[in-house]
Amino acid sequence: MEPAREESLLFKYAKITSVVCLYWTVSISLVFVNKTLLGGSSMGERDAPLFVTWFQCVVTTVSCLSLSCFTKVFPHVVTFPEVGSLERTKAKKVLPLTCVFVAMISMNNLSLKYMGVAFYFVGRSLTTVFNVTFTYLILGQVTSMSAILCCAVIIGGFWLGVDQENVAGSLSLLGVSFGFLSAAFVSLNAIYTKRVLPTLDGSIWVLCYYNNVMASVLFLPLIVFNGELYAAYLMVTEGSLHFWGLMVVGGFCGFAMGYVAGLQIQVTSPLTHNISGTAKACAQTVLATWWYAESKAVLWWLSNWVVLGGSLAYTYIKQLEMRATHNAPKPLQSDITGKIEEQMKG
């Protein structure tokens, strides 16, 4: 191999490795920071999960505005779409997605509040199952039997994990319920995102801005109805520098996730991104059991491996199906015209 080509390959692999490590670091940091902020009893009277989620939406909104302004001043350093006031017509079309988005991040943080980080992966593992269900109910797309069998494996791993949490005495029905709802809304969010993106010229960052601006407004009445005003007041008036540092870090990590996820897809592939995300969740589980000094039974670990195997198998099967569809020979125009003429004669 030529030295120049070998150096190019080494640079490529180093870049991919760096991006994957960055994705893992940001994603795992976000989970652990949010768990600290949403830790329930450790927060005392400052127990306001929706307020914490609202603050992260505000940080994301400010980050988008800052990068947009920075792009205008230094266009050769940063490239970010122009954002500012919301267009009324576009906002109306994005609003249904924002409602799903609010439900998704609320359920996500509430599930993390009531369940341990170690069980977080299994507790929210039904996203793939909901993807298959909603794809059929909303889009009318039928899933292959092989993919459905993978979903059955995931469901089996989920129930085994719930059973083992119950045996260990650490099962939170609220946590599992919120995890179940979180998985459903994650799936719905993906479907609605595909529908809404063309409205914003396909810009995921503009969609991120619209979502977080409107979510910041929608969260305000939810905070009131959930009785979090006093807790939010205590956070604002009595929160330490360490606490607010975690709040800001959590907000920036939430914003950065959109960037690093897209970057990982860009330098690898959607399949590799999914595999990386699943492997990251597995590493996160191991790290959490060590960090919180938790001892888990063999069957508990088996549930994680069952979910992991089912998720990877599903990803691989869907990739093969997409490749087969892409490589399938397309009918010639003359063949299509001939079939139309035959139908007209008939």
Side-chain angles (χ1 to χ4, degrees):
M1 183 181 294
E2 297 177 3
R5 186 180 177 186
E6 184 177 355
E7 184 178 345
S8 176
L9 285 175
L10 287 174
F11 176 77
K12 179 182 178 182
Y13 293 142
K15 181 180 179 180
I16 291 174
T17 303
S18 300
V19 169
V20 171
C21 289
L22 179 63
Y23 170 79
W24 281 39
T25 301
V26 172
S27 181
I28 292 176
S29 298
L30 177 62
V31 172
F32 276 85
V33 168
N34 276 346
K35 181 59 181 177
T36 303
L37 292 170
L38 303 166
S41 58
S42 64
M43 298 300 293
E45 291 183 295
R46 296 179 298 165
D47 183 19
L50 294 184
F51 175 77
V52 172
T53 311
W54 169 83
F55 184 82
Q56 292 177 348
C57 289
V58 172
V59 170
T60 298
T61 300
V62 173
S63 299
C64 288
L65 285 170
S66 300
L67 284 177
S68 180
C69 294
F70 197 80
T71 298
K72 293 178 181 178
V73 180
F74 304 102
H76 301 296
V77 178
V78 177
T79 303
F80 196 87
E82 183 177 352
V83 295
S85 58
L86 305 185
E87 293 184 26
R88 189 173 181 178
T89 304
K90 293 181 178 179
K92 282 184 178 180
K93 292 182 179 180
V94 176
L95 183 59
L97 170 62
T98 303
C99 293
V100 173
F101 173 74
V102 167
M104 179 188 72
I105 57 178
S106 298
M107 296 301 105
N108 183 59
N109 280 354
L110 286 170
S111 67
L112 187 58
K113 170 180 168 59
Y114 290 104
M115 69 171 66
V117 177
F119 188 62
Y120 188 59
F121 170 52
V122 173
R124 297 176 61 254
S125 61
L126 297 182
T127 300
T128 301
V129 179
F130 281 114
N131 279 340
V132 172
T133 304
F134 290 139
T135 297
Y136 175 73
L137 293 177
I138 298 176
L139 303 179
Q141 298 177 4
V142 180
T143 305
S144 67
M145 184 56 65
S146 299
I148 291 175
L149 287 175
C150 293
C151 291
V153 171
I154 294 172
I155 293 173
F158 171 80
W159 283 115
L160 178 60
V162 170
D163 176 70
Q164 288 303 298
E165 283 284 295
N166 186 39
V167 170
S170 55
L171 178 66
S172 168
L173 290 178
L174 272 176
V176 172
S177 300
F178 285 130
F180 182 87
L181 291 172
S182 173
F185 283 114
V186 166
S187 177
L188 284 173
N189 184 73
I191 292 174
Y192 276 94
T193 296
K194 289 182 180 179
R195 286 186 170 186
V196 171
L197 263 179
T199 304
L200 303 172
D201 300 321
S203 174
I204 194 69
W205 283 120
V206 175
L207 177 60
C208 175
Y209 177 72
Y210 269 74
N211 254 343
N212 282 276
V213 169
M214 292 192 289
S216 299
V217 176
L218 292 177
F219 266 118
L220 294 177
L222 294 178
I223 291 171
V224 176
F225 293 146
N226 200 42
E228 295 185 8
L229 278 181
Y230 180 66
Y233 169 76
L234 290 179
M235 285 183 175
V236 173
T237 57
E238 299 180 4
S240 64
L241 185 61
H242 173 72
F243 168 78
W244 283 107
L246 285 177
M247 288 280 281
V248 172
V249 168
F252 278 127
C253 283
F255 170 73
M257 272 301 297
Y259 174 74
V260 295
L263 185 61
Q264 182 170 247
I265 293 173
Q266 183 181 4
V267 301
T268 58
S269 67
L271 173 62
T272 305
H273 171 68
N274 290 333
I275 293 174
S276 174
T278 306
K280 183 274 306 179
C282 183
Q284 178 179 284
T285 300
V286 175
L287 181 61
T289 56
W290 170 78
W291 182 261
Y292 295 107
E294 298 176 352
S295 179
K296 300 296 183 181
V298 174
L299 287 179
W300 187 93
W301 284 109
L302 179 62
S303 70
N304 279 266
W305 286 110
V306 169
V307 170
L308 178 65
S311 301
L312 289 176
Y314 176 85
T315 301
Y316 179 69
I317 288 170
K318 295 302 291 183
Q319 180 70 11
L320 291 179
E321 291 175 353
M322 290 173 62
R323 189 180 300 169
T325 302
H326 178 74
N327 294 334
K330 296 176 176 59
L332 297 174
Q333 184 65 34
S334 57
D335 296 335
I336 297 174
T337 305
K339 289 180 180 179
I340 295 175
E341 290 177 351
E342 288 179 5
Q343 290 176 359
M344 293 178 66
K345 289 179 181 177

